[in-house]
């Protein structure tokens, strides 16, 4: 028997109820009644969770010589790329980890959102670990300035 592993990652919120209420309102009225709803995207938490899973599961699938496919929402993937200098390959070349990046686009002809494949990229587990290992730490003055800014509500 042959198989692949498939993981699906999308951005998540801290409070799903208000998000669901806002989307329901928009579907019914075509507009939002508020400029602010009480939910926050947990993008960085999603990236940290994904990284741990990618390393652990990537090692297993590579040891088995099987493929692991990460289906990722484009905004989550793009945020991950902005935080690292990771350069994924467009060629599989024996790599067992595939990233299928999906975009969510509105199709006005049917008045629905549809997913479309934006791109497929490839890596091995060592490359994922290495991108986090080579990141230069910030200067301590930059760290302290950022810390003070955040402590003051910024």
């Amino acid at each position: 028997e042959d198989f692949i592993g498939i993981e699906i990652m999308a951005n998540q919120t801290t409070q799903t109820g208000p998000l669901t209420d806002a989307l329901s309102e928009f579907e019914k009225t075509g507009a939002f009644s508020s400029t602010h709803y009480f939910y926050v995207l947990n993008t960085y938490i999603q990236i940290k969770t994904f990284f741990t899973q990618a390393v652990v599961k990537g090692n297993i699938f590579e040891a088995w010589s099987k493929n692991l496919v990460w289906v990722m929402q484009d905004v989550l993937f793009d945020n991950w790329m902005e935080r690292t200098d990771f350069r994924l390959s467009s060629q599989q070349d024996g790599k067992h980890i595939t990233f299928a990046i999906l975009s969510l686009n509105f199709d006005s002809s049917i008045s629905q959102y549809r997913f479309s494949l934006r791109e497929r990229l490839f890596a091995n587990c060592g490359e994922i670990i290495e991108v986090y290992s080579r990141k230069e730490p910030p200067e301590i003055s930059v760290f302290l300035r950022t810390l003070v800014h955040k402590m003051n509500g910024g």
Side-chain angles (χ1 to χ4, degrees):
E1 261 181 62
D2 205 5
F3 64 93
I4 63 170
I6 299 174
E7 291 278 344
I8 300 173
M9 291 292 295
N11 224 346
Q12 295 180 0
T13 65
T14 55
Q15 297 286 329
T16 305
L19 175 61
T20 303
D21 294 344
L23 290 173
S24 295
E25 174 187 8
F26 185 80
E27 287 175 347
K28 290 176 186 163
T29 66
F32 293 109
S33 62
S34 178
T35 57
H36 179 77
Y37 293 86
F38 295 98
Y39 68 89
V40 178
L41 292 175
N42 274 339
T43 304
Y44 191 55
I45 294 293
Q46 291 303 113
I47 291 169
K48 289 192 301 185
T49 301
F50 150 75
F51 172 73
T52 303
Q53 291 182 31
V55 170
V56 171
K57 293 174 183 177
N59 275 323
I60 292 168
F61 276 79
E62 285 182 357
W64 292 340
S65 294
K66 300 293 182 187
N67 293 319
L68 176 60
V69 178
W70 286 91
V71 179
M72 295 183 79
Q73 182 183 15
D74 56 355
V75 292
L76 184 60
F77 177 81
D78 292 344
N79 191 291
W80 179 40
M81 291 295 104
E82 288 171 13
R83 293 174 184 273
T84 67
D85 61 351
F86 200 6
R87 301 292 176 254
L88 295 164
S89 175
S90 60
Q91 303 296 312
Q92 190 165 15
D93 297 329
K95 298 176 185 209
H96 289 286
I97 301 173
T98 301
F99 296 92
I101 313 308
L102 299 183
S103 296
L104 183 62
N105 301 302
F106 188 73
D107 184 340
S108 59
S109 67
I110 58 170
S111 296
Q112 289 183 350
Y113 284 92
R114 292 182 168 259
F115 282 108
S116 61
L117 179 65
R118 187 178 86 184
E119 59 189 320
R120 275 187 344 172
L121 299 166
F122 306 91
N124 61 45
C125 199
E127 291 169 329
I128 294 171
I129 293 169
E130 198 260 328
V131 75
Y132 284 91
S133 301
R134 68 175 184 249
K135 191 159 179 101
E136 290 294 320
E139 294 292 326
I140 194 163
S141 61
V142 173
F143 169 76
L144 292 173
R145 193 170 40 250
T146 302
L147 181 62
V148 168
H149 176 73
K150 289 186 180 216
M151 289 172 56
N152 291 325

